[in-house]
């Protein structure tokens, strides 16, 4: 119970920081949008191909943007020694992990949902399965990236070459969930006549459950002295 | 050190005998022909790669639990040997795939998950090289290795869970008995080779750590 209340406090702190540094959050979303534009040109400007690949562009854009958001979440803690202060309060490491991961999940969700209207306009990718289904895909994918992202951001933030390390550690690890989230989103956009969307969403949710559990179990080792 | 070199010698002997039996005594497979012979090296390499990464997982749990340096030496050596074996596995698979599937690479779940697994451990090896404090390096890479082991489990199970070009795991009941013998000999040969390489790398890791801790 104490961990839950501490987790909510950390989440509130994260959201407050996010609001105060909203210029950076806007820059992250703009970066993801720039990625969508770049992918359109890289994949050719054929309308049908753009529509077919829209889900992939959306998720690769969001994944690239996630490194900025995730890197920032621990950069501010390490630069001012705030993490040590937080541990000394004392806040339980599991509460720190859950609060930060929830904060990162909400950030990714917000950036992902902000990208959807642009994807619809740029790639003619109006979701045939409805907006709530598409939102569920973005939510489950964001949850699946946020937990390992938070863990590896904590690892990379205190190492040398942290900007290279985070994507190097995170991208291979989250690839299975990005593949599953992309497939689910593609089906949400182009239609799901074979009823496969649920299976891909289940893979993403299973990945999220495994990594949120592993994160809660192993994060205390990462922040110990 | 003599025991280490003896392990290497046993590995060379077993791999030579197994490969000789596989190439010159085991029957030629009906559909794939001579191409199938690469299986006598490829399958043992696959088993040994997964075993090596499993040893890395055990070492990471060992360090997080006991905090004795031997686990860290083992972690460092198994990660690096596992990456080498994983690269070897992918190259062997590509050489087999070209005459069999018509392409060196296919975005098949097994092939892709093996590549992802190797990249995951390459990232952990990079993490180790970017952390100066030996204790933090051991702890953080143990955590990353424990998380990354999810990919190893996925590599093993993906041929059962997903539709894939790659065949599922074989067992002696599904393979001709004349083919089982060279496979088994080479499997032990590859395990001895991995132990030999891990032992050499372990000694290097121990020497490096002793120097770091003295400084």
């Amino acid at each position: 119970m104490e961990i839950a209340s501490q987790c909510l406090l950390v989440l509130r702190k994260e959201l407050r920081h996010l609001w105060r540094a909203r210029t950076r959050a806007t820059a992250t979303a703009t970066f993801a949008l720039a990625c969508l534009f770049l992918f359109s040109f890289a994949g050719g400007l054929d309308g049908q191909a753009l529509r077919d690949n829209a889900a992939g562009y959306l998720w690769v854009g969001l994944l690239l943007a996630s490194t900025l958001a995730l890197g920032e979440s621990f950069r501010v803690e390490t630069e001012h020694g705030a993490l040590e202060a937080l541990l000394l309060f004392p806040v339980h490491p599991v509460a720190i992990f859950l609060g930060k991961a929830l904060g990162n999940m909400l950030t990714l969700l917000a950036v992902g949902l902000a990208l959807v209207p642009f994807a619809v306009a740029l790639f003619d990718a109006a979701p045939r399965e409805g907006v709530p289904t598409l939102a569920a895909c973005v939510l489950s994918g964001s949850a699946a990236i946020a937990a390992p992202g938070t863990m590896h951001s904590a690892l990379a933030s205190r190492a040398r070459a942290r900007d290279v390390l985070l994507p190097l550690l995170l991208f291979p690890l989250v690839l299975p969930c990005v593949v599953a989230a992309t497939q689910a989103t593609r089906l949400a956009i182009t239609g799901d006549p074979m009823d496969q969307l649920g299976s891909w969403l289940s893979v993403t949710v299973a990945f999220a459950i495994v990594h949120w559990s592993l994160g809660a179990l192993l994060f205390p080792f990462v922040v110990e002295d | 050190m003599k025991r280490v070199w003896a392990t290497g010698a046993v590995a060379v002997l077993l791999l030579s005998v197994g490969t000789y039996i596989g190439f010159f005594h085991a029957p030629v497979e009906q559909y794939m022909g001579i191409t199938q012979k690469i299986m006598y090296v490829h399958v043992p390499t696959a088993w040994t790669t997964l075993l090596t990464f499993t040893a890395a997982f055990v070492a990471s749990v060992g360090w997080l639990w006991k905090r004795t340096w031997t686990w860290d030496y083992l972690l460092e050596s198994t990660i690096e040997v596992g990456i080498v074996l994983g690269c070897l596995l992918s190259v062997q698979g590509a050489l087999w795939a070209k005459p069999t599937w018509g392409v060196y690479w296919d975005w098949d779940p097994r092939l892709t998950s093996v590549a992802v697994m190797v990249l995951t451990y390459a990232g952990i090896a990079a993490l180790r090289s970017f952390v100066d404090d030996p204790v933090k390096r051991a702890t953080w890479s143990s955590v990353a290795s424990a998380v990354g082991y999810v990919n190893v489990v996925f590599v093993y199970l993906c041929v059962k869970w997903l539709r894939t070009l790659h065949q599922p795991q074989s067992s002696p009941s599904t393979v001709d008995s004349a083919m089982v013998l060279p496979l088994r000999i080479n499997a032990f040969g590859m395990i001895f080779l991995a132990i030999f390489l891990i032992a050499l790398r372990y000694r290097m890791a121990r020497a490096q750590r002793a120097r770091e801790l003295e400084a």
Side-chain angles (χ1 to χ4, degrees):
Chain A
M1 201 60 201
E2 197 185 351
I3 287 182
S5 62
Q6 287 182 348
C7 164
L8 287 176
L9 284 173
V10 173
L11 174 62
R12 213 167 72 183
K13 177 188 85 70
E14 285 297 297
L15 294 178
R16 190 180 296 132
H17 173 73
L18 206 67
W19 176 249
R20 285 176 184 167
R22 53 189 175 276
T23 320
R24 190 173 172 90
T26 314
T28 305
T30 313
F31 172 76
L33 183 60
C35 289
L36 284 193
F37 272 102
L38 285 175
F39 297 148
S40 315
F41 289 107
L45 296 173
D46 172 45
Q48 186 59 44
L50 285 175
R51 184 175 160 76
D52 290 343
N53 296 332
Y57 297 154
L58 184 75
W59 277 104
V60 176
L62 189 56
L63 182 63
L64 291 175
S66 77
T67 57
L68 301 181
L70 294 166
E72 175 69 5
S73 85
F74 272 95
R75 186 189 61 79
V76 288
E77 304 288 2
T78 48
E79 276 188 2
H80 305 294
L83 189 62
E84 283 74 16
L86 206 58
L87 289 164
L88 283 172
F89 262 122
V91 179
H92 197 282
V94 174
I96 297 177
F97 170 76
L98 292 175
K100 280 200 163 284
L102 278 171
N104 286 329
M105 186 188 85
L106 292 176
T107 309
L108 293 181
L109 179 66
V111 173
L113 291 178
L115 284 183
V116 167
F118 290 101
V120 170
L122 290 173
F123 310 132
D124 187 24
R128 283 191 186 163
E129 296 295 322
V131 174
T133 312
L134 187 61
C137 297
V138 178
L139 173 65
S140 62
S142 302
I145 294 174
T150 303
M151 169 75 95
H152 286 93
S153 169
L155 288 175
S157 65
R158 285 180 288 168
R160 283 184 285 118
R162 62 186 175 200
D163 296 332
V164 184
L165 257 185
L166 180 58
L168 200 59
L169 289 168
L170 184 65
F171 288 176
L173 197 67
V174 297
L175 196 71
C177 106
V178 171
V179 169
T182 303
Q183 293 292 349
T185 310
R186 187 179 59 79
L187 291 167
I189 291 171
T190 58
D192 183 25
M194 306 291 280
D195 204 20
Q196 293 172 301
L197 199 149
S199 310
W200 287 112
L201 265 185
S202 312
V203 173
T204 318
V205 171
F207 186 94
I209 291 170
V210 167
H211 280 279
W212 279 80
S213 312
L214 278 175
L217 188 71
L218 295 170
F219 189 77
F221 292 109
V222 177
V223 292
E224 70 180 12
D225 263 333
Chain B
M1 195 62 191
K2 273 182 186 171
R3 269 190 296 182
V4 174
W5 288 105
T7 310
V10 171
V12 171
L13 182 69
L14 286 172
L15 285 172
S16 306
V17 172
T19 307
Y20 177 81
I21 297 173
F23 273 72
F24 299 108
H25 287 275
V28 175
E29 205 272 336
Q30 189 179 354
Y31 298 107
M32 284 186 278
I34 199 79
T35 310
Q36 179 269 340
K37 299 286 184 187
I38 202 168
M39 290 297 107
Y40 298 117
V41 187
H42 181 63
V43 175
T45 307
W47 290 339
T48 313
T49 305
L50 296 185
L51 278 175
T52 306
F53 285 136
T54 303
F57 174 72
V58 172
S60 62
V61 173
W63 168 265
L64 293 175
W65 189 20
K66 294 282 184 189
R67 303 291 166 128
T68 43
W69 285 107
T70 48
W71 292 115
D72 185 51
Y73 309 149
L74 185 64
L75 180 65
E76 186 168 322
S77 49
T78 46
I79 284 174
E80 290 187 11
V81 173
I83 292 169
V84 171
L85 289 173
C87 292
L88 203 61
L89 177 68
S90 297
V91 171
Q92 291 164 357
L95 291 175
W96 174 83
K98 182 64 179 169
T100 313
W101 295 344
V103 286
Y104 285 110
W105 183 265
D106 184 84
W107 292 102
D108 166 85
R110 173 50 80 81
L111 273 68
T112 311
S113 59
V114 167
V116 167
M117 176 182 74
V118 174
L119 281 175
T120 301
Y121 283 94
I124 298 168
L127 171 69
R128 287 189 68 90
S129 64
F130 286 131
V131 181
D132 298 324
D133 181 343
V135 177
K136 282 182 176 158
R137 184 195 304 141
T139 306
W140 294 354
S141 57
S142 292
V143 168
S145 172
V147 174
Y149 191 68
V150 173
N151 278 349
V152 180
V153 176
F154 184 76
V155 166
Y156 182 76
L157 292 173
C158 69
V159 285
K160 292 182 179 174
W161 287 349
L162 302 169
R163 277 195 299 274
T164 161
L165 269 176
H166 198 285
Q167 57 270 53
Q169 289 91 351
S170 304
S171 73
S173 62
T174 59
V175 178
D176 190 301
S177 56
M179 294 173 173
V180 171
L181 179 68
L183 260 178
R184 279 199 175 145
I185 295 173
N186 270 2
F188 281 106
M190 283 304 295
I191 289 170
F192 272 93
L193 181 66
I195 293 170
F196 168 66
L197 294 173
I198 289 166
L200 284 182
R201 188 65 188 81
Y202 181 99
R203 292 170 69 90
M204 284 170 64
R206 190 171 57 189
Q208 282 169 348
R209 206 72 69 251
R211 205 171 54 227
E212 274 178 342
L213 295 172
E214 272 173 24

